Amino acid sequence: MTTSRRTFLVLSGLSALAAAGCGTASGSGTRNTTTLRYQGSAGAVTPPELAASLGYLGDLKLDWVGNTISGPQDIQSAASGQTDFGGAFNGAVVKLAARKAPIKAVISYYGSDKYAYSGYYVAEKSAIRTPRDLIGKKVGMNTLGAHAEAMLDIYLKKNGLSRAEAEQVERIVVPPVNTEQSLRQRQIDVAVLGGILRDKALETGGVRKLFSDYELRGAFSAGTYVLTERFIEQNPETVRTFVTGVGKALDWSRTTPRDEVVARMTEIVAKRKRNESADALKHWQSYGVSEPGGRIAEKELAVWADWLAERGDIKSGQVRVPDLYTNEFNKARAKRGS
């Protein structure tokens, strides 16, 4: 989430990452630290921040070190020891792990459902009606090699396009706040929109949905928080408190009336005094996490390992998916909400 979600940051020196993973927890050498450094998101409330507000983290404190708009950057910061945890699209987690970064996913934190989804929109009068119509067209998205591009690839493959044909669909990086405008000015043919940006575009009118990730795959968790294996080894109680608290917060957000959730989030933003607008929270509907307590399902990582292998980004079998995550520390026991 600090600069842009253009692509995965180059990992300069895998040995440095490995060394960071073997360092002391939070740089202090103290086992079971009571402070976790993290990056937030302007105008939004992350599940850990919600968990802290609800008292689900006990005496565990969150130390905000800045904001980020890049999942790959966020998890690299965690892998290199600049923060204690970071979150990203599961494909980014798989790719970083494939490069021998000493990380492990511990809980899901965002996904797609009937409320929280990314839609692929065209102009209302566009001639684009079918997947094959996308050949030679430009699709604007927030970053390459991540969630939006993965869904596009799955959509094209599911509808019979060959890899060579799919490669003729041009993927363009467009800052999220400019995506709708770029579509309306015909700089791109398809715009990937989610959240408040999607809702505002639909409210204005003149756009038509081609498909959405929710329609494509149903409800699914798409991203996880990761910590280094060394941090987990040194701070098991901290990790258990963190993961369980975040899981409880996710369940609370799912089972609590939306107005109450939004009111709580708005209060959190106001209290932290980061000179940001809370307007986007008015449009909040869901974190989109599909499993109770944010537990990770193997398929949620395996699908992206397969996708990355098909693209040639990693070798087939380069990562063993069961080794990439753990639900061991998640003691949240709330039932699935509606």
Side-chain angles (χ1 to χ4, degrees):
M1 8 193 166
T2 49
T3 51
S4 70
R5 304 191 64 167
R6 298 185 70 87
T7 187
F8 297 107
L9 297 183
V10 176
L11 298 180
S12 55
L14 296 177
S15 59
L17 276 179
C22 295
T24 55
S26 295
S28 66
T30 302
R31 293 179 183 274
N32 289 315
T33 178
T34 57
T35 301
L36 291 177
R37 296 164 301 153
Y38 79 105
Q39 296 184 110
S41 182
V45 174
T46 65
E49 290 170 331
L50 179 61
S53 174
L54 292 169
Y56 293 158
L57 298 185
D59 63 355
L60 181 60
K61 305 299 181 184
L62 298 178
D63 179 14
W64 175 70
V65 299
N67 288 329
T68 178
I69 57 168
S70 168
Q73 182 275 332
D74 198 29
I75 60 174
Q76 185 183 339
S77 293
S80 61
Q82 298 172 44
T83 57
D84 295 313
F85 69 89
F89 160 62
N90 281 331
V93 174
V94 171
K95 191 168 185 180
L96 189 60
R99 295 187 177 189
K100 306 302 182 185
I103 58 170
K104 192 174 288 287
V106 292
I107 189 169
S108 298
Y109 74 100
Y110 86 89
S112 293
D113 60 18
K114 62 183 178 180
Y115 303 112
Y117 64 87
S118 292
Y120 292 65
Y121 293 89
V122 298
E124 193 168 33
K125 297 182 180 179
S126 170
I128 298 174
R129 297 281 175 178
T130 71
R132 194 161 292 278
D133 293 335
L134 290 173
I135 295 176
K137 299 300 191 294
K138 297 178 180 179
V139 182
M141 56 189 67
N142 64 337
T143 191
L144 301 183
H147 185 107
E149 187 173 13
M151 289 299 161
L152 177 62
D153 279 348
I154 291 173
Y155 173 71
L156 297 174
K157 181 178 179 180
K158 183 177 181 180
N159 286 281
L161 273 72
S162 68
R163 187 69 202 169
E165 290 172 327
E167 288 175 352
Q168 295 177 53
V169 180
E170 189 173 359
R171 298 99 196 278
I172 305 294
V173 174
V174 183
V177 294
N178 297 332
T179 307
E180 178 189 352
Q181 181 182 11
S182 295
L183 177 66
R184 295 187 187 280
Q185 294 181 347
R186 301 183 181 181
Q187 296 169 335
I188 57 176
D189 302 291
V190 183
V192 183
L193 299 169
I196 184 174
L197 300 177
R198 177 198 66 218
D199 293 344
K200 284 186 173 181
L202 292 174
E203 187 176 297
T204 301
V207 299
R208 169 171 50 83
K209 184 173 65 178
L210 188 62
F211 74 98
S212 73
D213 53 3
Y214 174 62
E215 292 170 340
L216 189 62
R217 297 195 63 233
F220 66 98
S221 295
T224 48
Y225 284 128
V226 306
L227 300 94
T228 64
E229 294 173 345
R230 186 64 171 176
F231 186 93
I232 293 171
E233 179 185 347
Q234 290 190 332
N235 300 276
E237 293 306 319
T238 296
V239 176
R240 185 171 290 106
T241 298
F242 171 72
V243 174
T244 300
V246 171
K248 290 174 66 177
L250 289 168
D251 287 334
W252 181 86
S253 73
R254 185 185 293 112
T255 58
T256 301
R258 176 185 171 277
D259 289 348
E260 186 177 336
V261 178
V262 171
R264 168 72 68 160
M265 290 180 168
T266 303
E267 179 182 318
I268 292 170
V269 169
K271 285 184 176 180
R272 66 193 186 193
K273 298 180 179 179
R274 296 181 190 169
N275 191 29
E276 60 193 324
S277 171
D279 289 350
L281 293 176
K282 298 174 184 176
H283 296 261
W284 184 91
Q285 296 286 340
S286 167
Y287 284 119
V289 175
S290 62
E291 294 296 319
R295 286 176 179 78
I296 303 169
E298 182 174 334
K299 63 182 179 181
E300 294 166 351
L301 288 158
V303 64
W304 308 122
D306 293 342
W307 175 69
L308 289 167
E310 288 178 8
R311 285 166 55 95
D313 291 344
I314 66 173
K315 295 179 181 179
S316 180
Q318 186 174 347
V319 296
R320 185 174 179 274
V321 173
D323 294 338
L324 301 182
Y325 73 98
T326 179
N327 288 310
E328 173 188 354
F329 300 94
N330 196 333
K331 305 304 178 184
R333 300 192 179 281
K335 296 180 180 179
R336 185 190 298 274
S338 58

